[in-house]
């Protein structure tokens, strides 16, 4: 059940729809492309012509705009029945099949033997959904918990200045924790990137503040005969945990084929048309961790005229960084013959960049912390998908576990073996955070380290974004 957000100062039944100003806002030049209009495939008849102040579904009054995407606009709404605030995602009217709704229904209706109460909190929740009649067709509407800015906006507000490693470790823990749930439920997200990772809001007053701002300082908008395009307002402050959003491209099942993933974070098995599964999400998470910590991305978006040239540059950059793919990988798709000889040597069609390594490229950290980060990247970015660390393994990797205790919040889950003990991961770094009893339950190990009780007692139990409050955010 999603949290109900109340405005504490208002008697629950006393507030009807509020009257929002019809003047006093800046009017955007009607010839300028604005908000969703700037999207490459924008067709205005597909988007619902929402107005701030409008009441939909009988009780959700729209109080501000929060964002837009290729399939929706997202609004802050007040539930007039109990004065709680919700994010309302209004989809375009041409979605023949709403994949995100299918995933939510699947997650809600699929019984599972593990208790995921805590892990579910790291996935954007759906409170209810309904259809909204528009002038050009019906729109699916989702009612969801309102969230603050995305990691991409946060990074932008910092003018691209990367985050402190503690922040990255927390982010990583939270993303991986959410993925443990999705992957255990057999759902591959496929679209993990900084725009789809939103920071949750801990203080309800922020939403009331956004509504007040819209009442007293209405946001700029563009008006035409049949619609108003409103400006999105970002909700900032009171940062809670990170939430994985947008299940619109998620897939159910273990094995899939076909094109998927955002270009920059695309895994090699997808580029090469191989069968793929949930390890593609781990590839993306590795690159996300890198992008949060380092100034220069490992792979860029290659904007050549042909997709084949883009793929060639992308695969060449991977080869220069990871070394040649193993023979087993090369046999999985006929496409590999375009890029590598049978022994894994690069053959084109673009030149191979100079050989490099995570060690050489990672510049944000030093000493042991850098070594652990490099080992983390080694586990995430591996040619063979089945040899990449899975979400659970990576949650227990020593890089994020210097921030959270590996046994909390996953405490009580018996691991079948000791997956986090790989050649690149120090056994003692992992053992140092475990209580002996839980360690034995998890791994069957009987070795003691001497660190057990003290480390378990001092480590923070729930990783969160408390530190956001003290980060130097410049939104100007
Ligand atoms: N729960 C929420 N609270 C606050 N803002 C939100 C919320 N959900 C989405 N947004 C904002 O709306 C934007 C669009 O949301 P979302 O990514 O779900 O839409 P979409 O149409 O599926 O996007 P795309 O398909 O282009 O990735 C987000 O980038 C974010 O800025």
């Amino acid at each position: 059940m999603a949290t109900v957000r109340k405005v504490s100062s208002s008697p629950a039944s006393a507030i009807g729809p509020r009257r929002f100003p019809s003047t006093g806002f800046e009017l955007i030049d009607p010839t300028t492309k604005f908000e969703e209009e700037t999207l490459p495939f924008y067709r205005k008849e597909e988007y619902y012509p929402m107005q701030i102040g409008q009441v939909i579904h009988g009780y959700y009054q729209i109080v501000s705009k929060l964002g837009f995407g290729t399939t929706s606009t997202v609004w802050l709404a007040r539930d007039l029945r109990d004065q709680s605030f919700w994010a309302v995602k209004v989809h375009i009217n041409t979605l023949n099949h709403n994949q995100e709704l299918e995933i939510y229904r699947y997650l809600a209706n699929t019984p599972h033997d593990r208790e995921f109460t805590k892990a579910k909190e790291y996935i954007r929740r759906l409170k209810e959904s309904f259809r909204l009649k528009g002038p050009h067709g019906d729109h699916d509407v989702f009612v969801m918990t309102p969230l603050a800015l995305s990691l991409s906006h946060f990074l932008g507000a910092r003018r691209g200045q990367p985050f402190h490693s503690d922040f990255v470790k927390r982010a990583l823990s939270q993303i991986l924790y959410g993925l443990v749930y999705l992957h255990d439920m057999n759902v591959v997200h496929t679209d993990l990137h900084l725009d789809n990772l939103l920071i949750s809001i801990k203080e309800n007053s922020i939403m009331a503040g956004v509504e007040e701002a819209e009442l007293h300082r209405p946001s700029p908008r563009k008006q035409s005969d049949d619609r108003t395009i409103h400006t999105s307002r970002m909700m900032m402050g009171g940062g809670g945990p990170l939430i994985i959003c947008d299940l619109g491209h998620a897939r159910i099942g273990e094995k899939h084929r076909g094109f998927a993933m955002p270009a920059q974070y695309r895994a090699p098995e997808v580029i090469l048309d191989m069968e793929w599964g949930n390890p593609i999400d781990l590839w993306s998470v590795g690159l996300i961790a890198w992008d949060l910590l380092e100034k220069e991305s490992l792979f860029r978006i290659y904007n050549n005229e042909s997709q084949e040239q883009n793929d060639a540059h992308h695969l060449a950059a991977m080869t220069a960084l990871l070394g040649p793919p193993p023979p087993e990988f090369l046999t999985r798709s006929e496409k590999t013959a375009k890029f590598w000889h049978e022994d894994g040597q690069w053959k084109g069609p673009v030149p191979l960049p100079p050989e490099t390594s995570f060690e050489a490229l990672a510049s944000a950290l030093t000493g042991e912390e850098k070594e652990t980060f490099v080992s983390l990247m080694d586990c995430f970015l591996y040619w063979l998908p089945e040899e990449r660390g899975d979400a659970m393994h990576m949650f227990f990797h020593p890089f994020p576990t210097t921030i959270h205790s590996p046994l909390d919040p996953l405490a009580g889950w018996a691991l079948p073996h000791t997956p986090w003990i790989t050649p690149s991961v120090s056994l003692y770094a992992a053992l140092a955070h475990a209580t002996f009893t839980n360690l034995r339950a998890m791994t069957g190990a009987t070795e003691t380290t001497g660190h057990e009780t003290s480390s378990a007692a001092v480590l923070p139990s729930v990783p969160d974004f408390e530190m956001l409050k003290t980060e130097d955010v410049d939104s100007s």
Side-chain angles (χ1 to χ4, degrees):
M1 182 61 192
T3 323
V4 173
R5 287 154 198 276
K6 295 206 170 188
V7 183
S8 53
S9 58
S10 314
S13 57
I15 302 174
R18 289 183 160 192
R19 192 186 282 271
F20 283 79
S22 53
T23 55
F25 38 75
E26 183 193 334
L27 275 175
I28 308 282
D29 175 355
T31 60
T32 308
K33 286 197 175 179
F34 187 53
E35 295 259 314
E36 55 271 25
E37 293 178 312
T38 58
L39 296 171
F41 301 107
Y42 174 76
R43 286 185 57 234
K44 72 172 180 174
E45 296 77 20
E46 294 183 344
Y47 284 78
Y48 183 82
M50 189 70 84
Q51 299 275 358
I52 287 177
Q54 187 176 340
V55 177
I56 60 169
H57 201 53
Y59 43 81
Y60 290 115
Q61 184 174 29
I62 304 298
V63 304
S64 184
K65 185 174 177 186
L66 296 176
F68 60 90
T70 51
T71 65
S72 67
T73 48
V74 180
W75 304 84
L76 182 66
R78 179 197 280 276
D79 184 335
L80 296 171
R81 297 167 304 175
D82 63 3
Q83 315 312 326
S84 55
F85 282 105
W86 296 96
V88 170
K89 178 171 176 172
V90 184
H91 289 88
I92 54 175
N93 55 18
T94 45
L95 284 184
N96 293 329
H97 166 76
N98 194 321
Q99 180 67 2
E100 192 163 16
L101 191 54
E102 182 182 326
I103 302 287
Y104 277 124
R105 285 192 177 135
Y106 166 82
L107 290 174
N109 297 324
T110 307
H112 205 277
D113 48 1
R114 270 184 181 159
E115 185 42 74
F116 284 117
T117 318
K118 189 79 195 150
K120 282 180 189 167
E121 289 174 17
Y122 296 89
I123 308 293
R124 185 171 67 185
R125 296 229 194 126
L126 180 67
K127 180 198 173 216
E128 66 166 319
S129 69
F130 54 85
R131 301 272 283 174
L132 178 63
K133 210 163 197 39
H136 303 284
D138 287 355
H139 303 256
D140 279 332
V141 179
F142 291 176
V143 180
M144 304 174 301
T145 311
L147 302 167
L149 75 177
S150 68
L151 281 189
S152 137
H153 282 132
F154 194 16
L155 201 56
R158 295 167 59 86
R159 298 200 177 90
Q161 191 204 335
F163 294 101
H164 188 276
S165 63
D166 283 357
F167 182 95
V168 180
K169 289 168 187 175
R170 277 163 212 254
L172 210 46
S173 302
Q174 292 161 0
I175 300 166
L176 288 168
Y177 197 18
L179 277 188
V180 167
Y181 163 61
L182 284 186
H183 290 179
D184 230 69
M185 295 297 287
N186 243 335
V187 172
V188 193
H189 188 286
T190 86
D191 194 23
L192 290 169
H193 54 85
L194 300 183
D195 282 314
N196 281 340
L197 296 166
L198 268 60
I199 296 163
S200 56
I201 297 173
K202 275 178 152 180
E203 290 159 24
N204 297 342
S205 60
I206 289 169
M207 287 163 287
V210 168
E211 183 186 34
E212 285 303 310
E214 202 55 62
L215 282 164
H216 302 295
R217 294 184 305 283
S219 53
R221 63 205 64 182
K222 179 175 157 181
Q223 283 178 324
S224 62
D225 292 347
D226 62 344
R227 67 185 56 228
T228 302
I229 308 277
H230 288 275
T231 313
S232 303
R233 280 185 195 262
M234 205 182 290
M235 296 194 283
M236 286 181 79
L242 202 56
I243 307 293
I244 299 177
C245 294
D246 199 353
L247 296 169
H249 298 277
R251 303 277 284 272
I252 301 164
E254 275 181 27
K255 295 285 169 214
H256 306 274
R257 271 201 183 272
F259 210 52
M261 310 181 79
Q264 195 176 354
Y265 293 154
R266 193 168 292 142
E269 62 268 31
V270 174
I271 299 175
L272 291 161
D273 215 9
M274 297 172 181
E275 205 172 53
W276 51 260
N278 62 34
I280 66 169
D281 285 341
L282 279 304
W283 181 274
S284 302
V285 177
L287 293 175
I288 287 169
W290 184 277
D291 281 350
L292 294 177
L293 196 59
E294 296 286 340
K295 272 205 163 119
E296 292 286 327
S297 292
L298 287 173
F299 312 121
R300 347 179 242 110
I301 298 170
Y302 306 90
N303 272 325
N304 294 294
E305 272 167 24
S306 83
Q307 184 61 37
E308 200 168 311
Q309 283 278 306
N310 290 343
D311 290 347
H313 281 292
H314 201 162
L315 294 168
M318 286 180 194
T319 308
L321 177 64
L322 306 179
E328 203 185 332
F329 183 83
L330 295 173
T331 57
R332 291 185 184 175
S333 152
E334 286 174 8
K335 258 187 156 182
T336 57
K338 285 187 197 160
F339 306 103
W340 297 277
H341 294 287
E342 271 174 24
D343 62 357
Q345 288 311 301
W346 182 254
K347 72 174 182 196
V350 299
L352 195 66
E355 257 179 45
T356 185
S357 65
F358 296 123
E359 186 91 59
L361 296 175
S363 60
L365 304 174
T366 55
E368 203 181 318
E369 200 179 22
K370 175 172 175 173
E371 270 174 41
T372 323
F373 179 63
V374 167
S375 122
L376 179 95
M377 297 311 294
D378 276 336
C379 297
F380 273 130
L381 300 188
Y382 205 85
W383 286 110
L384 285 171
E386 65 275 19
E387 306 238 328
R388 251 166 246 158
D390 69 21
M392 175 84 91
H393 299 182
M394 299 314 289
F395 181 86
F396 283 97
H397 187 279
F399 187 73
T401 51
T402 53
I403 277 291
H404 70 78
S405 158
L407 294 184
D408 189 358
L410 290 179
W413 286 18
L415 297 184
H417 54 287
T418 53
W420 31 268
I421 304 169
T422 68
S424 53
V425 172
S426 143
L427 168 65
Y428 283 91
L431 291 182
H433 298 297
T435 64
F436 183 59
T437 321
N438 282 332
L439 181 71
R440 198 165 42 198
M442 282 166 58
T443 66
T446 52
E447 194 172 3
T448 52
T449 65
H451 294 289
E452 296 85 2
T453 42
S454 57
S455 60
V458 297
L459 277 163
S461 58
V462 184
D464 73 8
F465 274 71
E466 268 304 318
M467 62 191 323
L468 196 62
K469 289 180 183 165
T470 54
E471 286 269 345
D472 175 24
V473 182
D474 178 358
S475 59
S476 61

